[in-house]
Amino acid sequence: MAVRDRPTLAVWKFASCDGCQLSLLDCEESLLTLAGQLDIAYFVEASSAFRAGPYDLSLVEGSITTAADAERIRSVRACSHRLVTIGACATAGGIQGLRNFADVRDFVAAVYASPEYIRTLATSTPIAAHVPVDFELRGCPIDKHQLLEVISAFLARRKPDLPEDSVCTSCKRAGIPCVMVTHGTPCLGPVTHAGCGALCPAYARGCYGCFGPAEQANTASLSRAWNALGTDRRTLHRAFRSFNAAADPFRMESEAHADPDHPR
Amino acid sequence: MSPSAPAPARKGMIIDRDGLQSLLDRLSARGFDVIGPTVRDGAIIYDRISSVDVMPEGWTDDQDAARYRLARRSDMALFGYAVGPHSWRRFLQPPEERLWQATRQQVGLTIHTTAVPSAPYAFIGVRACELRAISIQDRVFLEGPHPDRRYAERRRGAFIVAVNCTEAGGTCFCASMGSGPRAADGFDLALTELIDANGHRFLLEVGTDAGAASVEDLPSRDADAGALVAAEEATARAAAGMRRKMATAGLKELLQANPEHPHWSEVAERCLACANCTLVCPTCFCSTVADYTDLRGHEADRVRRWDSCFAADFSSIHGGPVRASRRARYRQWMSHKLAHWIDQFDISGCVGCGRCITWCPVGIDITVEAAAIRAAPPRPAAGEGDDDGNA
Ligand code: SF4
Ligand code: SF4
Ligand code: SF4
């Protein structure tokens, strides 16, 4: 492909920790290849040289937490041919989605010396709640190999091969004996989207749900199994309330285990 | 043994632990990749073994629905446990393999087929249910108009040392399925481990000429009548001690007549659609094929990996998956195993190994679910459509 034909790439940040963008910079030797295939036109984390859109591929990190960002994402969408969200913030609202279960003004008052300067929305919402998204890449943070698969697929104009299966399928293919069954360790794997390669079960830990709900996640049944292993209500409540707390199946399950005195 | 080699008459001999080690050494020396049981990550799994020392000596497993625990035995048995999370399918039909790779050239492409590793497998400790499972996969992959070349290559060279079960595992029901606990055929050699007043020893039976050749001059003695009787009794005890049963009479017709049985919805309340049952099952054979390209568009890989009827993509066509609900997916899995498989391959797809029961994180038990459908009267056909988008 001649250099002038390279598609342009833009990387955008909304409310997030930057970890997913760092996964892109962490692609090491693949990063040079990538730079040869894509014209990196806008990537504040990597370069201060910007070029105006439109862009062929936009990677969007972060969730929408301010009125200004709710506007900005529309302009990003308008100048992007393809828009891919990267990470739990952009696909589910992220850890800052915890505000959705509380009054954000209480947080602002507790954290900032002069809360009157803070303008923020009452909720943290995923990008897809605001604009159409072409593909959502899961994970907190994303897996760099999956990111490279998404970009390679974009370049080849094919569908990325990233199935919505449970983490259990990764365990089984890797030959990892199930941690729930062999040592009674509670695991979110059966309701969590694959993508990490069963990182935690490979180290005899239960899955934390970083990649968000799997397709058909039966969280209620898994909670009963956790109960049978001795997990209490509060632990279950917290297990479903992390990076993907605002994703519907996890949100509803955490609400089902809320403190009866503070039912959220 | 090769899929269709005839089994000559059995011949009994007795070997001890050292004799077993000599057998492993001989198989390695003949170029086999020797795979057998070993302890890892809290379970007995199958992996490369070079020595009896790495086998699960003195270990057993305590199994029930959604529960597996290693436990110490009071003796030093080498095969004193049932089947674990792995099956031989991992080796004959690997979880993931590259089929070919294409490289872009100035003009056109070159395609390199990925070779199957050339060292044949020797499987040590194959249980009777697993022999049946292998023979079922042989039907799936080798018979019919389009044999699977890669499976055939792996299978053709494989040398099988079976072990007769002398104790049933907590979730076993091979006796109901007619597949165990004693290995009838399909092996090169079969062992029965005996530990009693006469010591710790193995009754070794020869199943094929290749098996006979492998034990020529192996330090051994002839099996006495006592050992043969003890071996028969031990496997009979295992059969009698099986806690789970599956009533197979009329089961195919029962399941095929009840696609709308309310019990499917009841199971769907519990089922996680996690796919563990299918991926531990030694007879499940489904795979998917995916193509990958690299960033530069210079190389492409075609990869085959295990798939499951519990996955959305499995039945996806334009507009979404054909089996959208957990109800439809569980029903597909169980009805295929126990009923449609018989139409397709003339044999049940279940060998009663119990893996799907042990390794289901919520303990869904195929024997219990089948019994529940049998127990409740079938719902009269109401003629109503399926509410979960499944044909
Ligand atoms: S360890 Fe967790 S992810 Fe792995 S199979 Fe068990 S429940 Fe599933
Ligand atoms: S259906 Fe279950 S018991 Fe039957 S062969 Fe498969 S894993 Fe074993
Ligand atoms: S039956 Fe059990 S193992 Fe199988 S998909 Fe359902 S929950 Fe998972």
Side-chain angles (χ1 to χ4, degrees), chain A residues 33 158 161 163 166 168 172-173 175 181-182 215-216 218 221 224, chain B residues 68-69 86 90 269-271 274 276 292-293 305-306 324 326 329:
Chain A
T33 315
R158 64 180 170 85
D161 180 51
S166 70
C168 300
K172 288 294 170 284
R173 289 195 193 109
V181 173
T182 46
E215 188 263 349
Q216 288 291 326
N218 188 348
S221 175
R224 290 193 294 271
Chain B
Y68 180 104
R69 293 289 184 282
H86 291 184
R90 293 198 76 68
E269 287 287 302
R270 289 178 283 137
C271 177
C274 61
N276 277 308
Y292 299 94
T293 47
R305 59 169 190 262
W306 286 354
R326 293 191 299 272
R329 293 184 200 167

PDB file of all heavy atoms in Angstrom, chain A residues 33 158 161 163 166 168 172-173 175 181-182 215-216 218 221 224, chain B residues 68-69 86 90 269-271 274 276 292-293 305-306 324 326 329:
ATOM      1  N   THR A  33       4.967  -1.436  12.958  1.00  0.00           N
ATOM      2  CA  THR A  33       4.243  -1.975  11.807  1.00  0.00           C
ATOM      3  C   THR A  33       2.932  -1.222  11.638  1.00  0.00           C
ATOM      4  O   THR A  33       2.552  -0.828  10.534  1.00  0.00           O
ATOM      5  CB  THR A  33       3.946  -3.473  12.022  1.00  0.00           C
ATOM      6  OG1 THR A  33       5.123  -4.094  12.512  1.00  0.00           O
ATOM      7  CG2 THR A  33       3.484  -4.135  10.749  1.00  0.00           C
ATOM      8  N   ARG A 158     -12.326  -7.078   7.315  1.00  0.00           N
ATOM      9  CA  ARG A 158     -13.022  -8.292   7.740  1.00  0.00           C
ATOM     10  C   ARG A 158     -13.561  -8.057   9.151  1.00  0.00           C
ATOM     11  O   ARG A 158     -13.223  -7.058   9.792  1.00  0.00           O
ATOM     12  CB  ARG A 158     -12.078  -9.500   7.712  1.00  0.00           C
ATOM     13  CG  ARG A 158     -10.923  -9.400   8.695  1.00  0.00           C
ATOM     14  CD  ARG A 158     -10.002 -10.620   8.636  1.00  0.00           C
ATOM     15  NE  ARG A 158      -8.790 -10.364   9.409  1.00  0.00           N
ATOM     16  CZ  ARG A 158      -8.677 -10.550  10.718  1.00  0.00           C
ATOM     17  NH1 ARG A 158      -9.693 -11.008  11.414  1.00  0.00           N
ATOM     18  NH2 ARG A 158      -7.547 -10.259  11.340  1.00  0.00           N
ATOM     19  N   ASP A 161     -12.336 -11.370  14.953  1.00  0.00           N
ATOM     20  CA  ASP A 161     -12.728 -12.655  15.524  1.00  0.00           C
ATOM     21  C   ASP A 161     -12.596 -12.573  17.036  1.00  0.00           C
ATOM     22  O   ASP A 161     -11.590 -12.983  17.610  1.00  0.00           O
ATOM     23  CB  ASP A 161     -11.844 -13.772  14.967  1.00  0.00           C
ATOM     24  CG  ASP A 161     -12.242 -15.126  15.545  1.00  0.00           C
ATOM     25  OD1 ASP A 161     -13.437 -15.449  15.500  1.00  0.00           O
ATOM     26  OD2 ASP A 161     -11.367 -15.825  16.083  1.00  0.00           O
ATOM     27  N   PRO A 163     -15.109 -13.614  19.873  1.00  0.00           N
ATOM     28  CA  PRO A 163     -16.428 -14.121  20.255  1.00  0.00           C
ATOM     29  C   PRO A 163     -16.879 -13.652  21.631  1.00  0.00           C
ATOM     30  O   PRO A 163     -16.057 -13.303  22.480  1.00  0.00           O
ATOM     31  CB  PRO A 163     -16.250 -15.648  20.244  1.00  0.00           C
ATOM     32  CG  PRO A 163     -14.883 -15.931  19.772  1.00  0.00           C
ATOM     33  CD  PRO A 163     -14.109 -14.664  19.721  1.00  0.00           C
ATOM     34  N   SER A 166     -18.017 -17.126  27.180  1.00  0.00           N
ATOM     35  CA  SER A 166     -17.609 -16.921  28.573  1.00  0.00           C
ATOM     36  C   SER A 166     -16.111 -17.149  28.729  1.00  0.00           C
ATOM     37  O   SER A 166     -15.467 -17.795  27.897  1.00  0.00           O
ATOM     38  CB  SER A 166     -18.354 -17.909  29.463  1.00  0.00           C
ATOM     39  OG  SER A 166     -17.866 -19.221  29.227  1.00  0.00           O
ATOM     40  N   CYS A 168     -14.932 -19.154  30.719  1.00  0.00           N
ATOM     41  CA  CYS A 168     -14.776 -20.607  30.871  1.00  0.00           C
ATOM     42  C   CYS A 168     -14.253 -21.255  29.584  1.00  0.00           C
ATOM     43  O   CYS A 168     -13.476 -22.210  29.639  1.00  0.00           O
ATOM     44  CB  CYS A 168     -16.100 -21.256  31.249  1.00  0.00           C
ATOM     45  SG  CYS A 168     -16.809 -20.652  32.784  1.00  0.00           S
ATOM     46  N   LYS A 172     -11.066 -23.760  29.469  1.00  0.00           N
ATOM     47  CA  LYS A 172     -11.128 -25.133  28.986  1.00  0.00           C
ATOM     48  C   LYS A 172     -10.162 -25.346  27.838  1.00  0.00           C
ATOM     49  O   LYS A 172      -9.497 -26.372  27.762  1.00  0.00           O
ATOM     50  CB  LYS A 172     -12.560 -25.493  28.571  1.00  0.00           C
ATOM     51  CG  LYS A 172     -13.498 -25.663  29.762  1.00  0.00           C
ATOM     52  CD  LYS A 172     -13.098 -26.858  30.618  1.00  0.00           C
ATOM     53  CE  LYS A 172     -13.868 -26.918  31.936  1.00  0.00           C
ATOM     54  NZ  LYS A 172     -13.425 -25.964  32.964  1.00  0.00           N
ATOM     55  N   ARG A 173     -10.075 -24.394  26.922  1.00  0.00           N
ATOM     56  CA  ARG A 173      -9.136 -24.581  25.815  1.00  0.00           C
ATOM     57  C   ARG A 173      -7.707 -24.617  26.340  1.00  0.00           C
ATOM     58  O   ARG A 173      -6.877 -25.377  25.862  1.00  0.00           O
ATOM     59  CB  ARG A 173      -9.294 -23.469  24.772  1.00  0.00           C
ATOM     60  CG  ARG A 173     -10.589 -23.576  23.980  1.00  0.00           C
ATOM     61  CD  ARG A 173     -10.551 -22.712  22.723  1.00  0.00           C
ATOM     62  NE  ARG A 173     -11.886 -22.580  22.155  1.00  0.00           N
ATOM     63  CZ  ARG A 173     -12.600 -21.451  22.175  1.00  0.00           C
ATOM     64  NH1 ARG A 173     -12.101 -20.361  22.698  1.00  0.00           N
ATOM     65  NH2 ARG A 173     -13.811 -21.434  21.656  1.00  0.00           N
ATOM     66  N   GLY A 175      -6.840 -25.716  29.180  1.00  0.00           N
ATOM     67  CA  GLY A 175      -6.655 -26.883  30.040  1.00  0.00           C
ATOM     68  C   GLY A 175      -6.525 -26.536  31.509  1.00  0.00           C
ATOM     69  O   GLY A 175      -5.977 -27.313  32.291  1.00  0.00           O
ATOM     70  N   VAL A 181     -14.699 -25.403  40.815  1.00  0.00           N
ATOM     71  CA  VAL A 181     -14.940 -26.829  41.041  1.00  0.00           C
ATOM     72  C   VAL A 181     -13.791 -27.465  41.827  1.00  0.00           C
ATOM     73  O   VAL A 181     -14.024 -28.267  42.733  1.00  0.00           O
ATOM     74  CB  VAL A 181     -15.161 -27.555  39.694  1.00  0.00           C
ATOM     75  CG1 VAL A 181     -15.245 -29.057  39.874  1.00  0.00           C
ATOM     76  CG2 VAL A 181     -16.433 -27.041  39.023  1.00  0.00           C
ATOM     77  N   THR A 182     -12.533 -27.096  41.529  1.00  0.00           N
ATOM     78  CA  THR A 182     -11.412 -27.784  42.197  1.00  0.00           C
ATOM     79  C   THR A 182     -11.071 -27.216  43.565  1.00  0.00           C
ATOM     80  O   THR A 182     -10.524 -27.935  44.380  1.00  0.00           O
ATOM     81  CB  THR A 182     -10.105 -27.765  41.372  1.00  0.00           C
ATOM     82  OG1 THR A 182      -9.894 -26.469  40.873  1.00  0.00           O
ATOM     83  CG2 THR A 182     -10.154 -28.734  40.228  1.00  0.00           C
ATOM     84  N   GLU A 215     -22.419 -12.849  26.675  1.00  0.00           N
ATOM     85  CA  GLU A 215     -23.739 -13.021  26.080  1.00  0.00           C
ATOM     86  C   GLU A 215     -24.483 -14.068  26.923  1.00  0.00           C
ATOM     87  O   GLU A 215     -23.881 -15.062  27.331  1.00  0.00           O
ATOM     88  CB  GLU A 215     -23.528 -13.500  24.631  1.00  0.00           C
ATOM     89  CG  GLU A 215     -24.745 -13.555  23.774  1.00  0.00           C
ATOM     90  CD  GLU A 215     -25.366 -14.942  23.694  1.00  0.00           C
ATOM     91  OE1 GLU A 215     -24.745 -15.909  24.145  1.00  0.00           O
ATOM     92  OE2 GLU A 215     -26.472 -15.047  23.199  1.00  0.00           O
ATOM     93  N   GLN A 216     -25.754 -13.869  27.221  1.00  0.00           N
ATOM     94  CA  GLN A 216     -26.560 -14.835  27.999  1.00  0.00           C
ATOM     95  C   GLN A 216     -26.098 -14.981  29.454  1.00  0.00           C
ATOM     96  O   GLN A 216     -26.294 -16.028  30.061  1.00  0.00           O
ATOM     97  CB  GLN A 216     -26.548 -16.231  27.357  1.00  0.00           C
ATOM     98  CG  GLN A 216     -27.332 -16.340  26.091  1.00  0.00           C
ATOM     99  CD  GLN A 216     -28.827 -16.215  26.326  1.00  0.00           C
ATOM    100  OE1 GLN A 216     -29.347 -16.652  27.349  1.00  0.00           O
ATOM    101  NE2 GLN A 216     -29.503 -15.587  25.408  1.00  0.00           N
ATOM    102  N   ASN A 218     -25.960 -15.539  33.022  1.00  0.00           N
ATOM    103  CA  ASN A 218     -26.975 -15.891  34.017  1.00  0.00           C
ATOM    104  C   ASN A 218     -26.404 -15.580  35.396  1.00  0.00           C
ATOM    105  O   ASN A 218     -25.946 -16.455  36.128  1.00  0.00           O
ATOM    106  CB  ASN A 218     -27.343 -17.371  33.887  1.00  0.00           C
ATOM    107  CG  ASN A 218     -28.535 -17.741  34.753  1.00  0.00           C
ATOM    108  OD1 ASN A 218     -28.972 -16.975  35.611  1.00  0.00           O
ATOM    109  ND2 ASN A 218     -29.053 -18.940  34.538  1.00  0.00           N
ATOM    110  N   SER A 221     -28.000 -17.246  38.681  1.00  0.00           N
ATOM    111  CA  SER A 221     -27.610 -18.625  38.965  1.00  0.00           C
ATOM    112  C   SER A 221     -26.188 -18.675  39.500  1.00  0.00           C
ATOM    113  O   SER A 221     -25.893 -19.420  40.442  1.00  0.00           O
ATOM    114  CB  SER A 221     -27.726 -19.479  37.703  1.00  0.00           C
ATOM    115  OG  SER A 221     -27.249 -20.785  37.952  1.00  0.00           O
ATOM    116  N   ARG A 224     -26.131 -17.758  43.122  1.00  0.00           N
ATOM    117  CA  ARG A 224     -26.541 -18.861  44.001  1.00  0.00           C
ATOM    118  C   ARG A 224     -25.380 -19.828  44.217  1.00  0.00           C
ATOM    119  O   ARG A 224     -25.178 -20.336  45.318  1.00  0.00           O
ATOM    120  CB  ARG A 224     -27.763 -19.590  43.417  1.00  0.00           C
ATOM    121  CG  ARG A 224     -29.044 -18.766  43.477  1.00  0.00           C
ATOM    122  CD  ARG A 224     -30.287 -19.608  43.181  1.00  0.00           C
ATOM    123  NE  ARG A 224     -30.344 -20.122  41.821  1.00  0.00           N
ATOM    124  CZ  ARG A 224     -30.903 -19.481  40.782  1.00  0.00           C
ATOM    125  NH1 ARG A 224     -31.465 -18.293  40.956  1.00  0.00           N
ATOM    126  NH2 ARG A 224     -30.911 -20.023  39.579  1.00  0.00           N
TER     127      ARG A 224
ATOM    128  N   TYR B  68     -14.832 -31.098  42.758  1.00  0.00           N
ATOM    129  CA  TYR B  68     -13.710 -32.003  42.511  1.00  0.00           C
ATOM    130  C   TYR B  68     -12.639 -31.665  43.534  1.00  0.00           C
ATOM    131  O   TYR B  68     -12.234 -30.511  43.656  1.00  0.00           O
ATOM    132  CB  TYR B  68     -13.161 -31.776  41.101  1.00  0.00           C
ATOM    133  CG  TYR B  68     -11.987 -32.662  40.705  1.00  0.00           C
ATOM    134  CD1 TYR B  68     -12.161 -33.747  39.849  1.00  0.00           C
ATOM    135  CD2 TYR B  68     -10.695 -32.405  41.178  1.00  0.00           C
ATOM    136  CE1 TYR B  68     -11.090 -34.548  39.472  1.00  0.00           C
ATOM    137  CE2 TYR B  68      -9.624 -33.205  40.814  1.00  0.00           C
ATOM    138  CZ  TYR B  68      -9.827 -34.271  39.958  1.00  0.00           C
ATOM    139  OH  TYR B  68      -8.762 -35.061  39.593  1.00  0.00           O
ATOM    140  N   ARG B  69     -12.222 -32.648  44.318  1.00  0.00           N
ATOM    141  CA  ARG B  69     -11.137 -32.410  45.265  1.00  0.00           C
ATOM    142  C   ARG B  69     -10.158 -33.563  45.193  1.00  0.00           C
ATOM    143  O   ARG B  69     -10.564 -34.732  45.190  1.00  0.00           O
ATOM    144  CB  ARG B  69     -11.657 -32.335  46.710  1.00  0.00           C
ATOM    145  CG  ARG B  69     -12.531 -31.142  47.027  1.00  0.00           C
ATOM    146  CD  ARG B  69     -11.758 -29.826  47.062  1.00  0.00           C
ATOM    147  NE  ARG B  69     -12.638 -28.730  47.456  1.00  0.00           N
ATOM    148  CZ  ARG B  69     -13.515 -28.125  46.639  1.00  0.00           C
ATOM    149  NH1 ARG B  69     -13.632 -28.497  45.387  1.00  0.00           N
ATOM    150  NH2 ARG B  69     -14.272 -27.134  47.084  1.00  0.00           N
ATOM    151  N   HIS B  86      -9.494 -33.161  31.911  1.00  0.00           N
ATOM    152  CA  HIS B  86      -9.021 -33.348  30.537  1.00  0.00           C
ATOM    153  C   HIS B  86      -9.534 -34.674  29.980  1.00  0.00           C
ATOM    154  O   HIS B  86      -9.839 -35.588  30.729  1.00  0.00           O
ATOM    155  CB  HIS B  86      -7.483 -33.398  30.486  1.00  0.00           C
ATOM    156  CG  HIS B  86      -6.821 -32.091  30.793  1.00  0.00           C
ATOM    157  ND1 HIS B  86      -5.464 -31.911  30.716  1.00  0.00           N
ATOM    158  CD2 HIS B  86      -7.325 -30.900  31.175  1.00  0.00           C
ATOM    159  CE1 HIS B  86      -5.155 -30.659  31.029  1.00  0.00           C
ATOM    160  NE2 HIS B  86      -6.270 -30.026  31.324  1.00  0.00           N
ATOM    161  N   ARG B  90      -8.229 -33.719  23.784  1.00  0.00           N
ATOM    162  CA  ARG B  90      -7.267 -32.599  23.718  1.00  0.00           C
ATOM    163  C   ARG B  90      -6.123 -32.887  22.766  1.00  0.00           C
ATOM    164  O   ARG B  90      -5.515 -31.968  22.235  1.00  0.00           O
ATOM    165  CB  ARG B  90      -6.529 -32.373  25.030  1.00  0.00           C
ATOM    166  CG  ARG B  90      -7.088 -31.939  26.182  1.00  0.00           C
ATOM    167  CD  ARG B  90      -6.150 -31.376  27.247  1.00  0.00           C
ATOM    168  NE  ARG B  90      -5.688 -30.049  26.962  1.00  0.00           N
ATOM    169  CZ  ARG B  90      -6.450 -28.988  26.956  1.00  0.00           C
ATOM    170  NH1 ARG B  90      -7.728 -29.066  27.222  1.00  0.00           N
ATOM    171  NH2 ARG B  90      -5.939 -27.827  26.683  1.00  0.00           N
ATOM    172  N   GLU B 269     -33.019 -21.857  33.984  1.00  0.00           N
ATOM    173  CA  GLU B 269     -32.889 -20.958  35.132  1.00  0.00           C
ATOM    174  C   GLU B 269     -31.518 -21.110  35.795  1.00  0.00           C
ATOM    175  O   GLU B 269     -30.974 -20.172  36.349  1.00  0.00           O
ATOM    176  CB  GLU B 269     -33.947 -21.304  36.200  1.00  0.00           C
ATOM    177  CG  GLU B 269     -35.349 -20.911  35.841  1.00  0.00           C
ATOM    178  CD  GLU B 269     -35.506 -19.415  35.933  1.00  0.00           C
ATOM    179  OE1 GLU B 269     -35.260 -18.870  37.026  1.00  0.00           O
ATOM    180  OE2 GLU B 269     -35.841 -18.799  34.900  1.00  0.00           O
ATOM    181  N   ARG B 270     -31.004 -22.327  35.753  1.00  0.00           N
ATOM    182  CA  ARG B 270     -29.729 -22.608  36.416  1.00  0.00           C
ATOM    183  C   ARG B 270     -28.550 -22.540  35.459  1.00  0.00           C
ATOM    184  O   ARG B 270     -27.443 -22.183  35.854  1.00  0.00           O
ATOM    185  CB  ARG B 270     -29.781 -24.011  37.047  1.00  0.00           C
ATOM    186  CG  ARG B 270     -30.707 -24.086  38.256  1.00  0.00           C
ATOM    187  CD  ARG B 270     -30.775 -25.500  38.810  1.00  0.00           C
ATOM    188  NE  ARG B 270     -31.618 -26.365  38.006  1.00  0.00           N
ATOM    189  CZ  ARG B 270     -31.311 -27.622  37.662  1.00  0.00           C
ATOM    190  NH1 ARG B 270     -30.183 -28.161  38.065  1.00  0.00           N
ATOM    191  NH2 ARG B 270     -32.134 -28.332  36.926  1.00  0.00           N
ATOM    192  N   CYS B 271     -28.773 -22.937  34.221  1.00  0.00           N
ATOM    193  CA  CYS B 271     -27.656 -23.042  33.263  1.00  0.00           C
ATOM    194  C   CYS B 271     -27.029 -21.675  33.008  1.00  0.00           C
ATOM    195  O   CYS B 271     -27.720 -20.679  32.824  1.00  0.00           O
ATOM    196  CB  CYS B 271     -28.150 -23.639  31.952  1.00  0.00           C
ATOM    197  SG  CYS B 271     -26.855 -23.733  30.698  1.00  0.00           S
ATOM    198  N   CYS B 274     -22.237 -21.429  29.918  1.00  0.00           N
ATOM    199  CA  CYS B 274     -20.788 -21.170  29.979  1.00  0.00           C
ATOM    200  C   CYS B 274     -19.999 -22.099  29.074  1.00  0.00           C
ATOM    201  O   CYS B 274     -18.826 -21.869  28.811  1.00  0.00           O
ATOM    202  CB  CYS B 274     -20.303 -21.310  31.413  1.00  0.00           C
ATOM    203  SG  CYS B 274     -20.553 -22.955  32.111  1.00  0.00           S
ATOM    204  N   ASN B 276     -18.925 -25.129  29.682  1.00  0.00           N
ATOM    205  CA  ASN B 276     -17.994 -26.079  30.319  1.00  0.00           C
ATOM    206  C   ASN B 276     -18.345 -27.533  30.016  1.00  0.00           C
ATOM    207  O   ASN B 276     -17.459 -28.350  29.761  1.00  0.00           O
ATOM    208  CB  ASN B 276     -17.977 -25.864  31.834  1.00  0.00           C
ATOM    209  CG  ASN B 276     -17.043 -24.747  32.243  1.00  0.00           C
ATOM    210  OD1 ASN B 276     -15.888 -24.737  31.851  1.00  0.00           O
ATOM    211  ND2 ASN B 276     -17.549 -23.804  33.011  1.00  0.00           N
ATOM    212  N   TYR B 292      -7.345 -15.220  10.264  1.00  0.00           N
ATOM    213  CA  TYR B 292      -6.696 -14.021  10.786  1.00  0.00           C
ATOM    214  C   TYR B 292      -5.756 -13.466   9.740  1.00  0.00           C
ATOM    215  O   TYR B 292      -5.118 -14.227   9.009  1.00  0.00           O
ATOM    216  CB  TYR B 292      -5.875 -14.350  12.038  1.00  0.00           C
ATOM    217  CG  TYR B 292      -6.700 -14.908  13.159  1.00  0.00           C
ATOM    218  CD1 TYR B 292      -6.832 -16.282  13.322  1.00  0.00           C
ATOM    219  CD2 TYR B 292      -7.362 -14.059  14.032  1.00  0.00           C
ATOM    220  CE1 TYR B 292      -7.608 -16.800  14.347  1.00  0.00           C
ATOM    221  CE2 TYR B 292      -8.141 -14.570  15.060  1.00  0.00           C
ATOM    222  CZ  TYR B 292      -8.264 -15.937  15.209  1.00  0.00           C
ATOM    223  OH  TYR B 292      -9.026 -16.433  16.211  1.00  0.00           O
ATOM    224  N   THR B 293      -5.667 -12.146   9.712  1.00  0.00           N
ATOM    225  CA  THR B 293      -4.675 -11.510   8.856  1.00  0.00           C
ATOM    226  C   THR B 293      -3.779 -10.684   9.744  1.00  0.00           C
ATOM    227  O   THR B 293      -4.197 -10.271  10.833  1.00  0.00           O
ATOM    228  CB  THR B 293      -5.364 -10.585   7.839  1.00  0.00           C
ATOM    229  OG1 THR B 293      -6.340  -9.786   8.548  1.00  0.00           O
ATOM    230  CG2 THR B 293      -6.069 -11.381   6.760  1.00  0.00           C
ATOM    231  N   ARG B 305     -10.602 -24.103  16.175  1.00  0.00           N
ATOM    232  CA  ARG B 305     -10.609 -24.247  17.630  1.00  0.00           C
ATOM    233  C   ARG B 305     -11.937 -24.818  18.095  1.00  0.00           C
ATOM    234  O   ARG B 305     -12.949 -24.750  17.398  1.00  0.00           O
ATOM    235  CB  ARG B 305     -10.298 -22.912  18.319  1.00  0.00           C
ATOM    236  CG  ARG B 305     -11.246 -21.814  17.980  1.00  0.00           C
ATOM    237  CD  ARG B 305     -11.064 -20.591  18.878  1.00  0.00           C
ATOM    238  NE  ARG B 305     -12.173 -19.688  18.647  1.00  0.00           N
ATOM    239  CZ  ARG B 305     -12.118 -18.633  17.844  1.00  0.00           C
ATOM    240  NH1 ARG B 305     -11.011 -18.285  17.248  1.00  0.00           N
ATOM    241  NH2 ARG B 305     -13.202 -17.907  17.653  1.00  0.00           N
ATOM    242  N   TRP B 306     -11.904 -25.405  19.296  1.00  0.00           N
ATOM    243  CA  TRP B 306     -13.106 -25.993  19.872  1.00  0.00           C
ATOM    244  C   TRP B 306     -14.220 -24.956  19.920  1.00  0.00           C
ATOM    245  O   TRP B 306     -14.007 -23.820  20.318  1.00  0.00           O
ATOM    246  CB  TRP B 306     -12.849 -26.440  21.317  1.00  0.00           C
ATOM    247  CG  TRP B 306     -12.030 -27.673  21.456  1.00  0.00           C
ATOM    248  CD1 TRP B 306     -11.592 -28.502  20.474  1.00  0.00           C
ATOM    249  CD2 TRP B 306     -11.558 -28.225  22.700  1.00  0.00           C
ATOM    250  NE1 TRP B 306     -10.872 -29.545  21.039  1.00  0.00           N
ATOM    251  CE2 TRP B 306     -10.839 -29.395  22.378  1.00  0.00           C
ATOM    252  CE3 TRP B 306     -11.672 -27.841  24.032  1.00  0.00           C
ATOM    253  CZ2 TRP B 306     -10.232 -30.179  23.370  1.00  0.00           C
ATOM    254  CZ3 TRP B 306     -11.073 -28.612  25.012  1.00  0.00           C
ATOM    255  CH2 TRP B 306     -10.368 -29.776  24.676  1.00  0.00           C
ATOM    256  N   ALA B 324     -31.293 -18.762  20.532  1.00  0.00           N
ATOM    257  CA  ALA B 324     -30.998 -17.510  21.218  1.00  0.00           C
ATOM    258  C   ALA B 324     -30.962 -17.675  22.731  1.00  0.00           C
ATOM    259  O   ALA B 324     -30.303 -16.917  23.424  1.00  0.00           O
ATOM    260  CB  ALA B 324     -32.031 -16.461  20.832  1.00  0.00           C
ATOM    261  N   ARG B 326     -30.801 -19.774  26.630  1.00  0.00           N
ATOM    262  CA  ARG B 326     -30.118 -20.867  27.339  1.00  0.00           C
ATOM    263  C   ARG B 326     -30.956 -22.132  27.259  1.00  0.00           C
ATOM    264  O   ARG B 326     -30.433 -23.235  27.164  1.00  0.00           O
ATOM    265  CB  ARG B 326     -29.873 -20.485  28.802  1.00  0.00           C
ATOM    266  CG  ARG B 326     -28.877 -19.352  28.973  1.00  0.00           C
ATOM    267  CD  ARG B 326     -28.487 -19.206  30.432  1.00  0.00           C
ATOM    268  NE  ARG B 326     -29.652 -18.904  31.257  1.00  0.00           N
ATOM    269  CZ  ARG B 326     -30.101 -17.686  31.506  1.00  0.00           C
ATOM    270  NH1 ARG B 326     -29.499 -16.629  31.003  1.00  0.00           N
ATOM    271  NH2 ARG B 326     -31.177 -17.510  32.253  1.00  0.00           N
ATOM    272  N   ARG B 329     -30.323 -23.802  24.068  1.00  0.00           N
ATOM    273  CA  ARG B 329     -28.959 -24.327  23.948  1.00  0.00           C
ATOM    274  C   ARG B 329     -28.781 -25.571  24.811  1.00  0.00           C
ATOM    275  O   ARG B 329     -28.171 -26.551  24.375  1.00  0.00           O
ATOM    276  CB  ARG B 329     -27.940 -23.243  24.311  1.00  0.00           C
ATOM    277  CG  ARG B 329     -27.966 -22.119  23.296  1.00  0.00           C
ATOM    278  CD  ARG B 329     -26.910 -21.059  23.531  1.00  0.00           C
ATOM    279  NE  ARG B 329     -27.296 -19.832  22.843  1.00  0.00           N
ATOM    280  CZ  ARG B 329     -26.727 -18.654  23.037  1.00  0.00           C
ATOM    281  NH1 ARG B 329     -25.728 -18.521  23.896  1.00  0.00           N
ATOM    282  NH2 ARG B 329     -27.147 -17.599  22.367  1.00  0.00           N
TER     283      ARG B 329
END
